[in-house]
Amino acid sequence: MNKFDFALILTCTINPIDIPNLVRNDPKIRFEDYKRSFNFWTDHSRINKIIFIENSNYDINYFKNIAKNKNKRIEFFSNNLNNTFNKNLGKGFGQYLSFKEIFEKSLIVKETDYFFNVTGRHIITNFDEVYGDMILKKNDIYINLSDNLKFCDTTSFGASKRFIINYFLPEAKKTSDLNDQILERNMSKAVLKAVADGLVLSNVPVYSHLKGFIGTNGKKLNFNFFKKFKLYFFRKLKIFFMTHRKY
């Protein structure tokens, strides 16, 4: 398999003070989530560059110590951005601020043209498959649109630097749960504007098999055999219709 130069972005909020609609909010529990995920990603053979950002001013020395023993280039950001805005705007606005910080200050960003983002508490058990598909597609945007093109799950996605800087960040800046401008809807707007301008959207990305816990309700992500089977054939069906269009 060909090598693909990209950086993994891990966004982290270990102590989400006063964030509404968040059940999994105990910093000790979340810290364990992030530890498991970080160890998984730093051990993954496909990952060579990682940008790790923690935005609640929590001690990240554990992660820095782990990084010393890994043969990876890992860049750390630690700040208090998650406590600098109206929490009613929602956790999506905090994610926007993290991306803004990274793309303004990261040294890895300056030398890298493609990025894959995953919520820092989650593992993608089929990342080898996702990685292989990204190489084949050579796209600017690697994400699934849903809800009649009005929603994109931002838990995990791939994107070029051009898309993130020129489309995602300007739309994500408008994120506000107060008027239903959630990050996922703003991401879909960014995708549609980018495609209209000629950027390439991957038609049917591989569905990420996420392992971890859902922050909003505390439930464990369950990608059992039947769910994987369903997503596999659902994707095959989408590919069939995309490749057999008649005009």
Side-chain angles (χ1 to χ4, degrees):
M1 186 177 289
N2 295 328
K3 287 186 177 181
F4 176 45
D5 183 40
F6 76 105
L8 177 74
I9 296 175
L10 297 175
T11 53
C12 308
T13 306
I14 298 176
N15 189 17
I17 300 171
D18 297 330
I19 291 291
N21 304 315
L22 190 66
V23 171
R24 200 171 182 84
N25 55 15
D26 185 328
K28 292 180 180 179
I29 294 174
R30 292 175 67 87
F31 183 50
E32 292 302 317
D33 292 343
Y34 287 118
K35 285 166 63 177
R36 282 190 294 271
S37 175
F38 189 75
N39 280 282
F40 171 84
W41 290 114
T42 54
D43 284 338
H44 203 290
S45 61
R46 303 296 183 196
I47 307 297
N48 294 311
K49 295 188 284 188
I50 298 174
I51 302 171
F52 178 101
I53 182 165
E54 203 291 320
N55 68 354
S56 67
N57 211 29
Y58 200 90
D59 183 356
I60 62 169
N61 279 326
Y62 169 86
F63 305 99
K64 290 182 176 180
N65 288 331
I66 291 293
K68 291 176 184 178
N69 299 316
K70 306 292 182 180
N71 188 25
K72 315 278 184 183
R73 183 174 177 193
I74 304 175
E75 190 175 24
F76 290 96
F77 289 87
S78 178
N79 55 54
N80 197 37
L81 286 172
N82 203 56
N83 297 311
T84 62
F85 63 93
N86 180 353
K87 298 300 179 69
N88 290 317
L89 294 175
K91 63 182 185 294
F93 191 81
Q95 188 173 356
Y96 154 70
L97 291 177
S98 290
F99 265 83
K100 181 174 181 289
E101 180 86 351
I102 289 169
F103 279 81
E104 286 178 350
K105 299 180 179 180
S106 168
L107 297 178
I108 289 178
V109 163
K110 291 181 180 179
E111 64 178 41
T112 309
D113 291 323
Y114 203 89
F115 304 87
F116 191 88
N117 170 77
V118 62
T119 299
R121 294 184 302 105
H122 291 158
I123 289 166
I124 299 176
T125 60
N126 65 330
F127 187 73
D128 279 336
E129 186 182 2
V130 173
Y131 176 92
D133 195 50
M134 284 194 297
I135 290 177
L136 290 174
K137 300 296 175 61
K138 296 182 175 16
N139 54 77
D140 294 289
I141 315 159
Y142 192 83
I143 196 169
N144 273 297
L145 284 158
S146 59
D147 190 22
N148 200 24
L149 307 182
K150 292 187 285 189
F151 186 95
C152 287
D153 187 351
T154 58
T155 303
S156 65
F157 66 90
S160 66
K161 181 159 56 179
R162 179 185 174 192
F163 169 75
I164 292 173
I165 292 175
N166 296 332
Y167 298 91
F168 173 63
L169 286 175
E171 292 301 321
K173 185 178 181 179
K174 305 171 187 176
T175 297
S176 170
D177 289 5
L178 293 169
N179 56 10
D180 200 32
Q181 290 297 311
I182 60 175
L183 183 65
E184 291 81 1
R185 295 195 187 283
N186 288 330
M187 171 62 94
S188 68
K189 293 176 184 176
V191 170
L192 295 176
K193 287 182 179 180
V195 171
D197 288 344
L199 273 69
V200 178
L201 170 66
S202 179
N203 288 336
V204 191
V206 171
Y207 291 101
S208 295
H209 296 170
L210 296 167
K211 184 177 181 181
F213 293 86
I214 302 170
T216 52
N217 58 25
K219 293 182 179 180
K220 187 175 183 179
L221 286 162
N222 184 23
F223 275 80
N224 56 32
F225 172 79
F226 294 103
K227 186 168 185 178
K228 293 176 183 178
F229 185 79
K230 181 180 71 174
L231 289 176
Y232 174 81
F233 279 100
F234 180 59
R235 180 171 180 264
K236 289 292 184 183
L237 190 63
K238 287 174 70 175
I239 291 173
F240 174 82
F241 283 112
M242 292 293 294
T243 56
H244 288 78
R245 291 174 296 180
K246 293 184 179 180
Y247 299 96

